[in-house]
Amino acid sequence: AYRTRPIYAPGTAQQQNLDQYREAIEPLRKVAMFAIPAILGLLAGTGAAGQWQTFLLWQNRVPFGSKDPQFGLDLSFFVFTLPWIQFVLGFLTMAIVMATLAAAFTHYVYGGLQIQSRAERTSRAARTHLAILVAALVLVRAATYWFDRYALSTKDSRLFTGIGYTDAHAVLPAKAILAIAALMTVGLFVASIWSRSWRLPIVGVALLLITSIVVGSIYPALYQRFLDADSGRALQS
């Protein structure tokens, strides 16, 4: 973000107010560019080190010889592979979120991102950089939705561990729909690099949020409330 900053910051009132911040940051910039990532990397590495057993279980995984009836996968996948994938996806999510925030802050301070401007609010470099970062974040989110489907096989409930009726008929399709919607949103962010507009990605994120609420929360709750309850009464009768 610093390397691709505009040579001359736009002469707006907002940028004039930011001049004092740039002057204050400049003496510490080189140190901060190494020190802050080093500290964050040390904290992230310390947290990840606690997952050494998860990694070793995945690295030395062996098949059990029995398959899950819902997905047709060997049971060892849920014991060894799935926990490691979930950790990696969570780690990547935090890393990309922090990288996106740092990039947005740097672009904002050095003139590549102008929130209050009525003209073009982002330079081409800033738009490309942020679009790629957010696209990567949504892509990881799509993978999280997809692997959440498998995590349902180890979900604990009051009666048993595994996939219930609502999970099989409502939650599983909902997770697949959310994964596809997230992939479509990724395409919109990539397309914004050439369209020079944030309109389509913003619409995509809004639709993804609405879909996650309706399909991911409301629909399974309604399914549980009405259809699953009717099925239970039918079985009892």
Side-chain angles (χ1 to χ4, degrees):
Y2 177 80
R3 186 173 63 249
T4 59
R5 70 192 185 281
I7 298 177
Y8 301 103
T12 61
Q14 174 188 350
Q15 291 302 315
Q16 291 175 1
N17 293 331
L18 288 173
D19 284 341
Q20 56 183 335
Y21 294 103
R22 285 192 286 266
E23 293 175 359
I25 291 173
E26 189 59 30
L28 303 173
R29 177 181 55 81
K30 291 184 178 180
V31 175
M33 282 189 173
F34 290 96
I36 294 177
I39 293 172
L40 294 177
L42 180 62
L43 294 175
T46 302
Q51 298 294 325
W52 64 272
Q53 290 179 321
T54 304
F55 169 74
L56 287 178
L57 287 172
W58 169 75
Q59 189 181 39
N60 299 282
R61 61 194 181 278
V62 292
F64 286 175
S66 299
K67 291 187 177 181
D68 171 72
Q70 181 68 40
F71 301 104
L73 298 174
D74 191 273
L75 296 180
S76 62
F77 171 83
F78 303 93
V79 178
F80 303 131
T81 303
L82 185 59
W84 174 247
I85 291 176
Q86 290 176 319
F87 164 72
V88 171
L89 291 175
F91 191 88
L92 287 175
T93 299
M94 290 303 301
I96 298 174
V97 166
M98 297 182 69
T100 304
L101 293 176
F105 173 78
T106 306
H107 283 302
Y108 175 73
V109 170
Y110 288 97
L113 177 63
Q114 301 181 72
I115 299 176
Q116 300 175 356
S117 175
R118 294 184 179 180
E120 190 173 9
R121 298 188 176 186
T122 56
S123 64
R124 181 172 178 82
R127 183 170 56 251
T128 301
H129 189 192
L130 294 175
I132 291 175
L133 284 174
V134 179
L137 178 61
V138 180
L139 182 62
V140 172
R141 189 59 195 164
T144 302
Y145 282 133
W146 187 258
F147 283 101
D148 280 348
R149 298 164 60 252
Y150 302 116
L152 293 174
S153 293
T154 57
K155 176 183 175 183
D156 290 326
S157 64
R158 292 180 301 174
L159 300 178
F160 60 90
T161 298
I163 297 179
Y165 186 86
T166 301
D167 295 330
H169 294 84
V171 179
L172 278 177
K175 294 292 184 180
I177 292 172
L178 288 172
I180 295 173
L183 289 176
M184 295 173 63
T185 306
V186 170
L188 293 177
F189 272 102
V190 174
S192 68
I193 298 175
W194 293 275
S195 66
R196 299 183 178 183
S197 173
W198 291 106
R199 185 174 302 172
L200 286 179
I202 291 174
V203 172
V205 171
L207 291 177
L208 181 60
L209 291 175
I210 295 173
T211 303
S212 65
I213 294 173
V214 175
V215 178
S217 299
I218 297 177
Y219 173 65
L222 293 176
Y223 198 98
Q224 173 72 29
R225 174 66 179 82
F226 297 104
L227 297 182
D228 196 1
D230 292 341
S231 299
R233 285 193 294 268
L235 289 175
Q236 291 177 358
S237 62

